[in-house]
């Protein structure tokens, strides 16, 4: 089940990279300029891939938390979970940012803004839920989404 979800996610990721690259190519010479186009695309793809890797690693950690048949909630550890409550969301936002940089169209950047708002709100509520669910959760030391920032 989780393997199917991961495969589906990576098919979608490949589609996102292909779409971003197509937007980049279709925009033509009238698009606004940022860095050298080839360098910008490479930077965007690197950011996208790092975000996907971050997302994959932290989803794997989340999927490995409970033993089969267990329904007990636990606080995730490992990876960036010691710094933030939702590092998988940070990885997803890195991917969306990489997509926007690679495609470099208004639509790609406009898509990034609501994703930041949505995932920031989810991280905020998850952080608050941990504080109510776990007595030993110290909200002072763990941020919500971005290490050392929020």
């Amino acid at each position: 089940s989780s393997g199917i979800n991961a495969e589906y996610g990576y098919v979608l990721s490949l589609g996102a990279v292909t779409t971003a690259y197509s937007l980049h190519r279709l925009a033509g010479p009238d698009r606004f300029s940022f860095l050298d186009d080839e360098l910008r695309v490479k930077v965007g793809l690197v950011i996208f891939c790092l975000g996907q890797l971050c997302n994959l690693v932290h989803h794997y950690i989340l999927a490995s938390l409970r033993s089969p048949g267990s329904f007990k909630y636990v606080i995730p550890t490992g990876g960036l979970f010691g710094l933030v409550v939702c590092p998988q969301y940070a990885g997803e936002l890195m991917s969306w940012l990489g997509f926007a940089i690679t495609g470099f169209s208004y639509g790609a950047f406009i898509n990034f803004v609501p994703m930041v708002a949505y995932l920031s709100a989810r991280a905020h509520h998850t952080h608050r839920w941990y504080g109510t669910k776990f007595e030993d959760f110290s909200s002072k030391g763990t941020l919500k989404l971005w290490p050392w920032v929020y």
Side-chain angles (χ1 to χ4, degrees):
S1 63
S2 64
I4 292 171
N5 291 335
E7 290 171 9
Y8 180 69
Y10 285 94
V11 167
L12 288 178
S13 296
L14 180 61
V17 170
T18 305
T19 302
Y21 186 74
S22 298
L23 287 171
H24 161 72
R25 285 292 178 214
L26 292 174
D30 295 332
R31 68 182 175 272
F32 51 100
S33 172
F34 171 71
L35 298 173
D36 173 69
D37 280 345
E38 188 175 330
L39 175 62
R40 180 183 41 76
V41 169
K42 288 177 182 176
V43 167
L45 287 174
V46 167
I47 292 171
F48 178 86
C49 290
L50 288 173
Q52 285 299 307
L53 180 63
C54 178
N55 201 1
L56 174 70
V57 165
H58 291 97
H59 275 287
Y60 178 79
I61 291 170
L62 287 171
S64 303
L65 286 177
R66 291 190 239 176
S67 57
S70 173
F71 295 102
K72 181 182 177 188
Y73 286 106
V74 296
I75 298 174
T77 58
L80 295 175
F81 280 109
L83 298 173
V84 292
V85 171
C86 297
Q88 72 276 21
Y89 294 164
E92 188 170 338
L93 289 176
M94 282 176 58
S95 294
W96 281 111
L97 179 62
F99 173 84
I101 291 170
T102 301
F104 211 69
S105 68
Y106 292 115
F109 282 106
I110 288 171
N111 189 49
F112 178 66
V113 173
M115 289 307 296
V116 170
Y118 172 69
L119 291 176
S120 295
R122 288 200 55 179
H124 174 78
H125 289 286
T126 299
H127 190 266
R128 189 171 61 188
W129 183 83
Y130 278 7
T132 62
K133 182 74 176 171
F134 302 104
E135 291 178 17
D136 58 341
F137 178 72
S138 172
S139 62
K140 295 177 184 168
T142 307
L143 296 174
K144 297 172 182 117
L145 180 64
W146 296 109
W148 306 288
V149 179
Y150 172 75

